[in-house]
Amino acid sequence: MLFVIPLPAYNPAFFYTMEILRNISLKKYNTFGIDVKSAYLTELSSEKELPYLLNWIEKSNLPYYLLSGGSNVLFVSDYPGIIIRVNMKGIQKVDETDDHVFIQAMAGENWEDFVDLCLKNNWGGIENLTLIPGNVGTSPMQNIGAYGMEIKDSFHHLKALELKTGEIKTFNSEQCRFGYRESFFKNEGRDKYMILSVCFRLSRRNHVLNTTYGIISQELEKIGVKQPGLYDVANVIRSIRRSKLPDPAELGNAGSFFKNPLITQGHFNTLVSEYPEIPGFPDVSGNIKTAAAWFIDKAGWKGYRDGDSGVHKMQALVLVNYGKASGNDILSLSEKIQKSVKEKFDVNLEREVNVVGDFYS
Ligand code: EPU
């Protein structure tokens, strides 16, 4: 049961401050572009609305789902409750030292706009995370990462509302328990907290650039950049991403559909004897981190299309909606891929994307 914040039984302000939409299509609220409906939807644009919202949820006794940019979610059925779009805006400098700035961004800020603002101000630490779809508030949930950088590297703290008590709590990096595409909020904290704002510690000078991943340094050399700045690195990554990852505005997708699997050294050795080219990197756990895209590609799925669901032709890790695919079309394709990779390589692919709704309803 949710905690009820004491409010007058009837508070007209509630009706003026929060608009609750009914029977609304979620197509424009998820980057897969899945056309399901939600019984209710509201946009939360200020923390002041929170007490009213918690009260509404308590009274309605309906399920709720917190949605941000909708870039890591697959809806597989209509939603019977209320979708809460966390949409609070605002970015401010909260502190600075000679070397660092501490920048707090509200959860509803678009991630790429935030990256761009940091680049414009010459604040370093998230430049490799350019063009990742989604909002600031969900970036810590799955510890977003790309090109050798993760959000945990420049994260300072976040503020989150505990839905049960109505209390706002502060979490530092350790309390967030970041892992590879993992955090406390994706596990024990799931559905219990609403992330309100995130504070980053970014460099103001002596930036520590990370250009070792993949072809970043080669690309910089190719364009004749010898002493790259933040923008140079971001721009190279932008062009690499644009060349192989589909833009959700043009082709529905949620980025990587699966996580890169960890396998034992013994299992990896067996695979290497048959496939010497298989990518693999030692992980802190002592296992080997391999590439989900490689397995999917090798199993013959890259570019596969069945009706309107498919596997992207440039990046096998990305499942796509060519227009009218349902959530279940995408989900069942993902299960076929999991089954085939398991049969061929004895490797389990774990979903990165959150599936919402009744399975196969
Ligand atoms: N590969 C293939 N076939 C493909 C694509 C890749 O065989 O179609 C192999 C290649 O050998 C390549 C390896 O897979 O060397 C790894 O590919 P890549 O460097 O493109 O990255 P990834 O592991 O597939 C991860 C993230 C992406 C992120 C890129 C770049 C995960 C689950 N995905 O993908 O994140 O952009 O690295 O850092 O960790 C996302 O999370 O939505 C996302 C796009």
Side-chain angles (χ1 to χ4, degrees):
M1 255 310 108
L2 285 157
F3 177 85
V4 190
I5 292 184
L7 277 177
Y10 171 76
N11 186 335
F14 168 64
F15 297 99
Y16 294 114
T17 52
M18 289 202 72
E19 192 185 12
I20 305 221
L21 305 169
R22 294 189 67 160
N23 200 25
I24 179 114
S25 166
L26 296 178
K27 192 171 161 68
K28 68 170 185 179
Y29 297 107
N30 71 100
T31 60
F32 254 126
I34 304 293
D35 196 6
V36 288
K37 284 198 165 118
S38 179
Y40 297 92
L41 180 140
T42 190
E43 306 249 1
L44 190 66
S45 52
S46 155
E47 282 181 41
K48 290 195 191 104
E49 296 167 358
L50 282 170
Y52 305 114
L53 179 62
L54 292 179
N55 194 40
W56 191 93
I57 293 172
E58 168 73 17
K59 286 212 171 101
S60 71
N61 206 21
L62 286 169
Y64 59 88
Y65 187 77
L66 302 176
L67 188 67
S68 180
S71 60
N72 207 36
V73 66
L74 178 67
F75 287 107
V76 293
S77 67
D78 286 342
Y79 191 72
I82 181 163
I83 300 279
I84 302 162
R85 280 201 82 218
V86 183
N87 209 16
M88 287 90 76
K89 305 278 190 206
I91 296 175
Q92 56 171 324
K93 193 195 283 177
V94 286
D95 203 357
E96 64 187 317
T97 64
D98 288 347
D99 292 327
H100 292 98
V101 276
F102 294 80
I103 306 296
Q104 178 175 288
M106 297 303 288
E109 288 288 344
N110 172 269
W111 176 257
E112 179 64 4
D113 291 348
F114 180 59
V115 171
D116 214 44
L117 180 108
C118 293
L119 290 172
K120 284 194 177 105
N121 283 282
N122 194 36
W123 296 331
I126 55 172
E127 57 284 353
N128 291 28
L129 305 179
T130 182
L131 281 186
I132 294 185
N135 289 350
V136 168
T138 33
S139 61
M141 282 198 67
Q142 54 155 350
N143 182 24
I144 57 169
Y147 301 95
M149 206 176 248
E150 286 181 331
I151 201 184
K152 73 170 172 51
D153 306 329
S154 45
F155 174 92
H156 191 257
H157 69 267
L158 63 76
K159 287 190 181 149
L161 172 86
E162 188 177 22
L163 292 160
K164 203 165 132 200
T165 59
E167 218 180 290
I168 294 178
K169 293 188 171 170
T170 301
F171 290 76
N172 63 24
S173 188
E174 201 186 316
Q175 290 162 322
C176 289
R177 281 189 252 140
F178 292 123
Y180 166 64
R181 295 296 199 275
E182 284 293 350
S183 76
F184 165 79
F185 298 98
K186 217 178 159 181
N187 293 290
E188 306 93 301
R190 179 184 280 263
D191 298 329
K192 297 196 178 97
Y193 290 90
M194 179 192 292
I195 296 174
L196 302 173
S197 63
V198 186
C199 182
F200 298 86
R201 176 180 174 270
L202 302 165
S203 54
R204 301 175 70 184
R205 58 182 189 184
N206 304 326
H207 304 301
V208 183
L209 300 181
N210 187 337
T211 57
T212 52
Y213 188 99
I215 55 167
I216 303 178
S217 45
Q218 287 114 283
E219 290 294 304
L220 285 166
E221 239 167 72
K222 229 195 259 173
I223 53 171
V225 178
K226 296 222 162 52
Q227 286 183 315
L230 300 175
Y231 256 118
D232 299 310
V233 178
N235 286 337
V236 161
I237 290 173
R238 282 170 176 165
S239 64
I240 300 173
R241 285 188 77 98
R242 286 194 179 115
S243 71
K244 55 181 195 176
L245 291 171
D247 178 354
E250 284 157 23
L251 184 61
N253 77 90
S256 300
F257 196 88
F258 302 102
K259 291 185 194 176
N260 283 330
L262 278 180
I263 61 174
T264 62
Q265 181 74 56
H267 190 172
F268 185 67
N269 294 346
T270 312
L271 289 169
V272 169
S273 59
E274 200 175 338
Y275 309 99
E277 77 285 10
I278 184 173
F281 308 92
D283 183 73
V284 281
S285 62
N287 292 315
I288 304 293
K289 167 97 67 80
T290 50
W294 184 89
F295 290 112
I296 300 168
D297 194 346
K298 202 77 189 167
W301 292 99
K302 193 166 174 174
Y304 173 89
R305 178 171 177 174
D306 178 10
D308 269 358
S309 66
V311 179
H312 192 240
K313 52 182 185 307
M314 303 297 286
Q315 209 334 343
L317 196 45
V318 179
L319 302 194
V320 293
N321 173 11
Y322 284 99
K324 290 202 159 47
S326 71
N328 277 323
D329 293 339
I330 306 274
L331 184 63
S332 77
L333 170 60
S334 78
E335 287 174 344
K336 284 183 199 148
I337 293 170
Q338 282 170 316
K339 191 162 172 275
S340 114
V341 167
K342 176 74 182 169
E343 279 167 8
K344 199 166 164 55
F345 306 103
D346 195 21
V347 165
N348 294 312
L349 292 182
E350 198 188 320
R351 271 198 312 265
E352 193 203 293
V353 166
N354 301 305
V355 174
V356 182
D358 305 330
F359 286 39
Y360 305 115
S361 61

